[in-house]
Structures are given as C-alpha cells and as structure tokens.
Amino acid sequence: MSLNVLLVEDDRELRSTLSETLRVEGYAVSCAASLADAQAQLQYARPAPDLILLDLGLPDGDGQSLLSQLRRHSNTPVLVISAREQDGEKIQLLDAGADDYLVKPFSISELLARMRVALRHRGLHTQAAQTRYQHMGLSVDLSAHRVKLQGQEIKLTPTEFKLLARLVRSAGQVVTHRSLLLDVWGPEFTEHTHYLRLYMAQLRAKLEAEPADPQLLLTEPGVGYRLADFS
Ligand code: CA
C-alpha cells in the first residue's frame, strides 16, 4: 500500500507540481486548497493521511491553527511548507508540533528527504509503493518517466503517462473508473468515463500487440481497469 499524503496548499500551480511529483514517487496524494477543505478531509477522508504537508498562508486562515487543532488528538507528521522564513516563526511552529519546516522555494529532493525522515520517526517506511513494472515486454519506470516496449522507448502524452502510472502503482489490482478519473483528471471529472475509454484506447494502441484483445491493460466490466500482474 502507498503512504497517504495530504497536501494543503492554495497555490494551484505548486499544488499540482507537488502532487504529481509525489505520486510519481509512489505516494497516494490528496489535496486541499483551504483550511476548511483540509479540516473536512481530516475528519472524513479514509484512510487518514500518513503525513501532512501544510502551507501557512491559506485563503480562509493560517495553517498554524490547523496544526494546533490536529495536535490535540493526532501525532500525524506535519511538514510546514511556507514562504515565511523568520526564525521566530519556525520555532513557534515546531513548538506547536510541526515535525519540520521548509522555506519556499525548496528543492523536491530536500522535501522528499525530510518526508522520509518524518515518516521514519513514526515507524513508517516509504518503499512500499510500486514505481517499476515489467511484464510481457512492457517495462515502465515511473521515477525515470520511461516506458519501453520490447526494449523500444514509447512516447506517451502526459495524460497517457499519468493514466499508466496510476495503473502501475496498483498493478494486479482493479482500479475503479472513479479513482482513475479522480487521480488522473481531478475531482471535477469523476463522471467523465468517456475520457477514460478514449485514453485507454490510445494506450492500448501504443502498448498492446493486439489492441482489440488486450493482455496488459485489462477491462474489468462495469468496475474499472487492471494492469496485468507479473504472475
Ligand atoms: Ca499560500
């Protein structure tokens, strides 16, 4: 199982870059763009996040209030990501229960390293999610963003890659239409199953020997899709 990260960030561009990068690294990511959104997710979303990335300047308040609330009942690791860089403020946040503090702009590799440390402190390890796949001549390396078929590099569009990546991370398991639409296109697209049909047809045309009789990208009728497993 992937570890779940809740990303609380109102900057749309940063949110999408970070969430995409974290997914490629094998994390399951959910996003919140405001305090209210984050509170709702913390209250209702299951599974609960294993780690929270928390921006401070949010449209409906300060991330620190969420941290204080959370710390009354939870020790989920929280990494603050903020443009504010005064030492006094960092100390205050660490005292309030933040595990770490990264000043924007930060490098992705530093973020990933700090996340691993925070998770290790809670006894959680990050190597569980699958980022490589190899079966029937198809090899996918999500970290390197590389897809090969019989040793030949295959060019995918960004959306095709995201869709394939989502299936690779759950290789062998059925992924529902809704999950695929949510993770690849976003929450406002969960009813648009025609997108899935279209992109799945494109992927099959590129990756299957006989697209009409797929051996890799399998249909689970009425439910979703499954990437054939190793066995
Ligand atoms: Ca902000």
Side-chain angles (χ1 to χ4, degrees), residues 8-11 14 33 55-59 81-84 104:
V8 187
E9 169 62 64
D10 62 326
D11 181 321
L14 182 57
D55 180 27
L56 295 179
L58 293 162
I81 49 174
S82 172
R84 303 180 201 162
K104 294 175 188 169

Side-chain angles (χ1 to χ4, degrees), residues 89-149:
E89 186 147 30
K90 287 185 203 170
I91 292 163
Q92 201 183 339
L93 282 155
L94 295 169
D95 281 345
D99 289 66
D100 207 339
Y101 190 108
L102 279 107
V103 177
K104 294 175 188 169
F106 47 79
S107 77
I108 292 292
S109 52
E110 181 166 17
L111 172 68
L112 292 169
R114 305 256 198 117
M115 286 173 63
R116 284 194 292 272
V117 170
L119 289 163
R120 203 181 310 130
H121 286 162
R122 300 295 198 285
L124 295 165
H125 294 279
T126 51
Q127 68 272 36
Q130 193 167 339
T131 58
R132 283 167 190 264
Y133 174 85
Q134 205 147 23
H135 188 55
M136 292 177 61
L138 173 65
S139 86
V140 183
D141 180 339
L142 296 184
S143 303
H145 216 275
R146 188 170 293 141
V147 179
K148 287 184 178 177
L149 189 62

Side-chain angles (χ1 to χ4, degrees), residues 7 37 46 54 56 92 95 114 130 152 170 172 184 197 204 208 225 231:
L7 169 61
D37 194 2
R46 294 295 173 270
L54 180 62
L56 295 179
Q92 201 183 339
D95 281 345
R114 305 256 198 117
Q130 193 167 339
Q152 298 285 316
S170 301
V184 176
R197 279 197 299 277
R204 282 173 171 159
E208 296 278 0
Y225 294 93
S231 49

